Amino acid sequence: MRSPETIGPLLTRYAASKSLLPGAHIHASLLKSGLLATFCNHLISFYSKCRLPGSARRVFDEIPDPCHVSWSSLVTAYSNNALPRDALGTFRAMRARGVRCNEFALPVVLKCAPDAGLGAQVHAVAVATGLNGDIFVANALVAMYGGFGHVDEARKVFDEAGSQRNAVSWNGLMSAYVKNDRCSEAVEVFGEMVWSGLRPNEFGFSCVVNACTGSRDLEDGKKVHAMAVRTGYDRDAFTANALVDMYSKLGDIHMAAVVFGKVPETDVVSWNAFISGCVLHGHDQHALELLLQMKSSGLVPNVFTLSSILKACAGAGAFDLGRQIHGFMIKACADSDGYVGVGLVDMYGRHGLLDDARKVFNWWIPRKDLLFWNALISGCSHEGCHGEALSLFCRMRTECFEVNRTTLAAVLKSTANLEAISDTRQVHALSEKIGFLSDPHVVNGLIDSYWKCNCLHYANRVFEEHSSDNIIAFTSMITALSQRGQGEDAMKLFMEMLRKGLEPDPFVLSSLLNACASLSAYEQGKQVHAHLIKRQFMSDVFAGNALVYTYAKCGSIEDADLAFSGLPEKGVVSWSAMIGGLAQHGHGKRALEVFRGMVDERIAPNHITMTSVLCACNHAGLVDEAKRYFNSMKEMFGIDRTEEHYACMIDLLGRAGKLDDAMDLVNSMPFEANGAVWGALLAASRVHRDPELGKLAAEKLFILEPEKSGTHVLLANTYASAGMWDEVAKVRKLMKDNNVKKEPAMSWVELKDKVHTFIVSDKSHPRARDIYAKLEELGDLMTKAGYVPNADVDLHDVDRGEKELLLSHHSERLAVAFALISTPAGAPIRVKKNLRICRDCHVAFKFISKIVSREIIIRDVNRFHHFSDGACSCGDYW
DNA sequence: ATAGGGTTAG
C-alpha cells in the first residue's frame, strides 16, 4: 500500500490518462483499508473522466454523508458524460437536502438546462447565493443564454461581469452573437476586445473567423486572417479550419486552397470545409477530385463529407459514385444521419430517378423530417411531376406540420409550371401567414410563379413590396423579363437596381447575361463581363457558363471560346453551352471534337448535351456521325432519346435529302410527332422538292400549330419550288380566306448601348434616308459583281421589279446597312433576326461581305451565318 | 495535481 499522501495526485494522473485498471486497483485497496471516504472525491472524478458515470455514482453511494464537493463532482460526472437528466436530478436532490451550492456545480448544470426557462431558474439560484459574481458562473450563463437565443440576456450578464471579464467571457459573447445570426455584431465585439487590450486566443480567432463567414464579410475576414498570422494563431487547428471554411464559403476558392494547403494537421473537418465550399459554388468536379485526394491521404470520409459529395454528384452527373455512396451507406449502416439520406433523395430526384428518390424517402423511417419532404418535393418539381409535388405538399402539411422557405420555393416552382394561379395564391397567403414573405427565395418563387401564370399584376405587386433592398427580387424580375424576350426592360431594371445602391452579385449578372443573349447584345454582354471581372466574380461557375452561352448567342464564337477556356471548372453545363454554341455557328467538326474532349475529361453528358451534338452534326451535314451518336447514346452514356433528339434527327435526315429515312423514323418513334418534327419535314420537302410530303406535313401543322403563319408560306414555297403554280395560288387564297397574316420579319442590331429594330421597308428609323442611300449604292456594286436577285418564291402579290425592290429592303438588309454607316470600317456586324434568313438575302450578304470587307454575322431562329469574303460559314447547307 | 466556462465541416 502506498503512502496516503500520494494517492490523490496518482488518481488525478490516472484520470488524465484514462488509465482505468490502476485506478480501479487503488479503489479496491481503499475499500479494504477503509480509507474510501478520504479519497471519494478523487475517485468520483477519476471515474467521471474514464467515462464511467455509473461507477462514480457507486462510489458516491458508499459515502455516508457526502459533502458539497462530492455532490458537485457527481453532477459534473453526469453532465460531462451526456446524462443531462441525471445531472439535473442530482442537482435538485442536492438543493432539496440543503447542501451548499458552490461555484463548480452551477456551470455544469447550466450546460444541462434543456431550455432558457430552466436556465433562468439556475440563474436565480446563482443570484440568490451570490455566485453570479464568479466569472466561471457568469461565463456559463452567457453561453446558456446565447445557446437559447437570448442574446440580449447574455450581453447583460457579460456587462455585469465588469472588470472580472476574461477571454472566455469575450469569446462566449461572440459565440452568442454568431449562434443567433448576428455575426456583424460578433465582429464588433472582437474589435472591442482587442481595443480593451485583451489579446485574443485561439478560441477568439476561430470564433471571429466564423463571424466573418456568417456576415459574408471577406474584407474583415482578411484583416483577421492577417492578425492571426502575425500572432501565430493561424497554426491552430480550429482557426485554420475556420479560415478554410470562410474562404470557401465566401467563394474565394483560390484562397481557400492556399489556406487549406497550410493547415498544419489536415483533418476530416478541413477537407469537409473545403469540399463543401467547392460544392456551394458549383465546383462539383473539383469537389469529387478532392474526395479522391482525401481518400489517398488516408482519411476516411464521414457523413458530412458524403452529404457534400452527394450534392456534387447530383451537380456533376457523377451518378455512379452517388450510387456507390448509397451502397456504402447501406453496408456501413450510416443511415442514421438524415443529411445523407436527404442528399440521396436530392441526388436521385435531380437525376430524374424519382423512383429511387421515392424509395429512399419511404425507407428512411428514423428521421423523416422537413428536409426529406423538401428534397422529394424539389425532385418532383425538378422532374416535372408537378402534380405529385403539390399533393406531397398537402400531405406534408398534415404529416410533418412544418414548412420552410425551401418547401415554399419548391412548391412555387410547381405551381408556376402548372400555371396554377389559385394554388400560387394559396401558397402566397400561407407564406404571409407564417411569416415567410420577407424571405428572398419565397419572394423569388412568387414573382416567378405569377409571371408564369401570366399575372403580371401580382408579380409586380410582390416585386414592388420587396424591391427596395432585395437583390433576389430584382434578379427574379430581370430573369422573368429576359426569358420573355423583354431584354431591354431587363437591362433598364438592372440600371434601376444600381441606382438604388444595390451591389450586383453573380446571380443577377448571370441573369443579365441571358438578357444580353436574347437581345444578341454583344457590347452590353461585354459590359456585364467587365462587371464580373471588376467584382472578382470570375471564379463563379454559373456566371462563367452564362458568359460562354451569351458570347455564342451574340455571335462571337471566339469570345465564347475564350470564356470557355478561362472557366475555373468545366461542368456539363459549360461543355454543353460550348458544344451548342459551336453547333449553332456551323462548326460541326469542332463541336464534335469538344464533345470528345468532354468525354475524355469524364464529364457525363446529359440529354441537352446530346441535343447539341446532334445539332452540330445537323448543321455540318454529318449524317453518319449523327446516326452513330443517336443509336448508341443510351448504351454509351445512359441517356434516353427524347422527342427533341428525334426531331433533330428527322430534321437532319430531311435536310440531307433522305426523306424516306426521315419518314421511317417518324413512324417508328415512341412519340406522337410534334410541330417541330412536321416543321422539319415541311422545310425538307421544300428544299428537296417533294410537294406530297410538304402537303402532309402542312396539314398536320395546320392542326398542331394553327397560330403559326409560317406553315402557309413554307407550303406555298414548296409548291413554287416544284413549279406547281396552281397550288401556290390555292394556298395564297387559303391564307386570305383564313385571314392569316405573315409574322412580320424583324431584325435587330446593337449600337453602343441601344438595340435598333427594323421591319421590312421600314422608314421609321431616324437615319432611314442614309440607310436607303447605302442600300442603293450597294445594289449597284453588287450587280456589277454578278448578283442576280432571286424573287421566285416571294409571296407578295406584286410585279417582279417591285418584288426585287422589296427583297432589297428586307429587315436584315436595313439592319446591315445601318450598321455599315454607323460603325468604323472593318468592324464586324452582328444582326439578329426573328425568322430564318431568306435565300436571296443569304446570296446578297455574301456579295456585300466581299464588297465592304467586313464580317457579317446573322443569327436567325435556327443558327448563325458568318459571311466573310464572299462566303458563308454554313457552306450554303441550311 | 479534487470539481467548472468559450471554437471547426452539411
Side-chain angles (χ1 to χ4, degrees):
Chain A
M1 187 63 206
R2 297 160 199 284
S3 64
E5 56 270 23
T6 64
I7 290 179
L10 210 53
L11 274 173
T12 309
R13 219 168 66 215
Y14 291 151
S17 59
K18 296 196 174 140
S19 311
L20 180 60
L21 280 178
H25 187 71
I26 292 179
H27 183 183
S29 57
L30 286 172
L31 271 174
K32 234 185 267 171
S33 60
L35 281 170
L36 186 73
T38 320
F39 296 104
C40 64
N41 295 340
H42 283 93
L43 265 179
I44 292 171
S45 163
F46 165 77
Y47 282 122
S48 162
K49 296 236 168 87
C50 288
R51 325 246 81 173
L52 292 167
S55 301
R57 171 94 219 188
R58 275 190 290 281
V59 174
F60 180 86
D61 287 339
E62 294 282 327
I63 320 161
D65 190 19
C67 70
H68 64 97
V69 177
S70 315
W71 278 101
S72 50
S73 296
L74 185 63
V75 173
T76 307
Y78 284 132
S79 169
N80 286 350
N81 287 288
L83 294 166
R85 291 162 67 103
D86 294 282
L88 281 167
T90 308
F91 182 71
R92 284 205 191 93
M94 167 183 144
R95 299 276 304 151
R97 264 164 232 227
V99 177
R100 176 163 89 78
C101 176
N102 65 25
E103 68 274 29
F104 291 94
L106 289 178
V108 285
V109 166
L110 282 167
K111 217 161 69 179
C112 298
D115 52 56
L118 228 149
Q121 282 180 34
V122 180
H123 189 181
V125 174
V127 172
T129 52
L131 291 170
N132 58 336
D134 181 87
I135 192 60
F136 277 85
V137 175
N139 290 344
L141 283 167
V142 170
M144 183 275 294
Y145 281 125
F148 293 123
H150 297 248
V151 194
D152 298 322
E153 283 298 312
R155 175 96 219 190
K156 223 158 92 191
V157 176
F158 174 85
D159 287 337
E160 281 165 8
S163 61
Q164 285 216 64
R165 284 190 295 234
N166 58 17
V168 178
S169 327
W170 288 97
N171 298 339
L173 184 66
M174 257 197 286
S175 166
Y177 281 118
V178 172
K179 279 184 193 143
N180 293 284
D181 290 327
R182 290 165 65 169
C183 288
S184 44
E185 285 162 273
V187 179
E188 282 169 25
V189 170
F190 183 80
E192 279 177 61
M193 166 167 65
V194 174
W195 187 246
S196 79
L198 208 82
R199 287 189 50 172
N201 61 13
E202 70 270 35
F203 288 93
F205 272 111
S206 52
C207 200
V208 72
V209 171
N210 292 330
C212 293
T213 312
S215 62
R216 311 198 57 77
D217 190 342
L218 198 55
E219 288 303 304
D220 274 346
K222 284 180 175 165
K223 282 182 207 154
V224 169
H225 183 186
M227 216 167 137
V229 171
R230 276 203 304 278
T231 51
Y233 282 114
D234 63 325
R235 320 280 309 159
D236 167 65
F238 280 94
T239 308
N241 285 345
L243 282 167
V244 174
D245 187 45
M246 177 184 82
Y247 283 116
S248 65
K249 268 219 186 83
L250 299 189
D252 192 339
I253 295 295
H254 176 70
M255 269 308 283
V258 170
V259 179
F260 178 78
K262 290 185 175 169
V263 176
E265 277 177 67
T266 321
D267 61 6
V268 186
V269 177
S270 336
W271 285 96
N272 288 348
F274 194 21
I275 290 175
S276 72
C278 290
V279 175
L280 190 66
H281 291 94
H283 303 262
D284 297 314
Q285 206 57 39
H286 195 186
L288 298 180
E289 282 159 23
L290 284 172
L291 176 74
L292 295 180
Q293 290 173 28
M294 177 183 178
K295 280 166 80 179
S296 63
S297 81
L299 284 168
V300 181
N302 64 14
V303 286
F304 281 84
T305 330
L306 295 184
S307 63
S308 281
I309 288 296
L310 280 173
K311 262 205 194 117
C313 292
F319 169 66
D320 285 340
L321 181 61
R323 278 237 191 253
Q324 277 177 36
I325 292 175
H326 191 175
F328 171 76
M329 290 189 31
I330 291 172
K331 260 188 267 164
C333 292
D335 54 349
S336 55
D337 191 286
Y339 274 105
V340 182
V342 170
L344 282 170
V345 174
D346 180 61
M347 181 192 73
Y348 287 133
R350 282 212 268 159
H351 265 86
L353 296 161
L354 266 184
D355 279 339
D356 292 278
R358 287 187 200 104
K359 250 183 240 160
V360 178
F361 179 83
N362 290 328
W363 178 69
W364 220 279
I365 310 299
R367 263 195 56 187
K368 195 183 291 173
D369 58 14
L370 180 67
L371 295 176
F372 272 92
W373 290 94
N374 285 351
L376 192 58
I377 291 177
S378 302
C380 289
S381 312
H382 188 258
E383 280 311 303
C385 298
H386 301 298
E388 187 176 348
L390 281 188
S391 65
L392 272 168
F393 178 68
C394 295
R395 238 182 84 195
M396 173 182 183
R397 300 262 295 134
T398 56
E399 286 181 33
C400 175
F401 306 110
E402 219 184 334
V403 165
N404 72 3
R405 60 182 189 172
T406 313
T407 329
L408 295 168
V411 80
L412 280 170
K413 206 168 140 191
S414 285
T415 63
N417 278 293
L418 293 169
E419 296 177 23
I421 179 62
S422 75
D423 289 309
T424 305
R425 299 227 56 198
Q426 278 182 38
V427 177
H428 188 171
L430 175 70
S431 310
E432 191 156 22
K433 199 173 114 198
I434 59 181
F436 274 109
L437 261 198
S438 56
D439 187 282
H441 297 277
V442 177
V443 168
N444 174 30
L446 283 170
I447 290 176
D448 184 53
S449 190
Y450 280 134
W451 267 103
K452 296 233 167 76
C453 296
N454 238 332
C455 289
L456 313 192
H457 173 66
Y458 286 123
N460 266 318
R461 216 185 69 195
V462 175
F463 173 66
E464 268 154 26
E465 279 165 17
H466 297 93
S467 61
S468 55
D469 57 346
N470 185 340
I471 192 168
I472 297 182
F474 268 100
T475 310
S476 314
M477 284 299 274
I478 287 170
T479 307
L481 286 166
S482 65
Q483 279 171 359
R484 293 169 75 99
Q486 293 169 250
E488 276 180 272
D489 293 328
M491 298 298 290
K492 271 188 211 148
L493 204 57
F494 178 68
M495 296 304 166
E496 194 186 320
M497 194 192 100
L498 290 183
R499 271 199 304 280
K500 285 202 166 180
L502 288 174
E503 278 287 305
D505 62 12
F507 294 93
V508 76
L509 292 175
S510 306
S511 181
L512 208 58
L513 281 173
N514 287 327
C516 295
S518 79
L519 285 172
S520 263
Y522 175 71
E523 293 299 331
Q524 295 180 66
K526 284 221 292 209
Q527 282 180 27
V528 179
H529 189 171
H531 266 295
L532 287 170
I533 295 169
K534 193 174 122 201
R535 289 167 209 279
Q536 303 182 319
F537 292 153
M538 286 305 286
S539 62
D540 188 272
V541 173
F542 301 95
N545 290 341
L547 271 179
V548 175
Y549 169 84
T550 303
Y551 277 131
K553 281 275 176 204
C554 289
S556 175
I557 199 69
E558 297 80 13
D559 285 301
D561 211 358
L562 272 176
F564 180 71
S565 328
L567 285 177
E569 172 171 329
K570 299 178 182 73
V572 62
V573 178
S574 331
W575 289 94
S576 305
M578 194 63 221
I579 294 165
L582 285 166
Q584 285 207 316
H585 286 270
H587 302 293
K589 291 230 167 73
R590 265 184 66 206
L592 295 182
E593 271 166 34
V594 173
F595 177 64
R596 278 189 287 272
M598 174 181 181
V599 176
D600 285 345
E601 296 270 327
R602 310 193 142 269
I603 306 291
N606 61 21
H607 68 102
I608 297 169
T609 324
M610 293 318 293
T611 306
S612 294
V613 167
L614 294 176
C615 189
C617 296
N618 190 359
H619 288 316
L622 304 167
V623 180
D624 292 336
E625 277 88 342
K627 277 185 180 165
R628 228 179 37 235
Y629 283 121
F630 184 73
N631 289 328
S632 63
M633 56 195 246
K634 174 72 182 168
E635 181 190 328
M636 282 170 73
F637 308 114
I639 299 166
D640 290 313
R641 293 189 284 226
T642 66
E643 278 181 274
E644 267 199 304
H645 297 139
Y646 276 98
C648 196
M649 208 52 205
I650 289 159
D651 189 37
L652 176 141
L653 291 169
R655 209 178 284 247
K658 300 180 186 295
L659 299 183
D660 292 340
D661 290 356
M663 272 316 288
D664 285 348
L665 200 54
V666 172
N667 292 326
S668 68
M669 69 179 187
F671 304 101
E672 198 63 34
N674 61 16
V677 168
W678 291 115
L681 288 169
L682 179 55
S685 68
R686 189 196 68 146
V687 177
H688 298 286
R689 303 180 186 201
D690 187 337
E692 198 136 328
L693 179 59
K695 188 164 178 251
L696 173 68
E699 277 166 0
K700 297 278 187 187
L701 284 167
F702 288 145
I703 297 163
L704 286 167
E705 296 173 341
E707 72 286 355
K708 283 213 175 155
S709 58
T711 307
H712 291 92
V713 181
L714 264 175
L715 180 61
N717 283 343
T718 306
Y719 286 133
S721 68
M724 298 163 72
W725 301 109
D726 293 350
E727 296 298 325
V728 175
K730 271 190 210 159
V731 176
R732 226 179 326 179
K733 187 168 179 302
L734 196 69
M735 281 180 82
K736 224 178 228 163
D737 293 349
N738 294 355
N739 203 16
V740 176
K741 293 233 161 57
K742 258 180 98 167
E743 183 184 352
M746 291 170 96
S747 292
W748 294 268
V749 64
E750 184 197 28
L751 195 74
K752 289 195 184 116
D753 281 350
K754 200 173 170 344
V755 176
H756 299 255
T757 309
F758 295 91
I759 56 172
V760 67
S761 305
D762 199 341
K763 300 244 163 42
S764 64
H765 196 275
R767 297 198 61 191
R769 264 169 170 286
D770 303 329
I771 292 170
Y772 283 92
K774 186 74 193 176
L775 280 178
E776 205 156 314
E777 178 199 326
L778 280 173
D780 290 343
L781 293 168
M782 283 157 67
T783 312
K784 272 188 201 135
Y787 162 74
V788 182
N790 173 7
D792 285 351
V793 292
D794 195 285
L795 266 184
H796 285 85
D797 206 4
V798 283
D799 70 45
R800 193 175 182 90
E802 254 182 89
K803 269 184 196 171
E804 287 172 11
L805 196 64
L806 272 174
L807 279 176
S808 72
H809 294 166
H810 271 176
S811 63
E812 53 266 54
R813 297 230 196 151
L814 298 176
V816 168
F818 171 65
L820 275 173
I821 58 172
S822 325
T823 56
I829 293 169
R830 300 166 211 278
V831 169
K832 182 188 136 180
K833 185 176 159 60
N834 64 339
L835 303 174
R836 269 150 82 117
I837 186 170
C838 90
R839 298 247 145 208
D840 185 65
C841 286
H842 195 263
V843 175
F845 287 146
K846 289 202 268 184
F847 279 96
I848 295 174
S849 70
K850 195 175 173 82
I851 291 167
V852 299
S853 302
R854 292 242 211 169
E855 190 183 5
I856 300 170
I857 302 153
I858 310 283
R859 165 182 166 187
D860 73 8
V861 273
N862 242 343
R863 61 169 294 155
F864 285 89
H865 297 266
H866 291 251
F867 300 94
S868 174
D869 199 27
C872 179
S873 62
C874 73
D876 299 334
Y877 183 83
W878 50 282

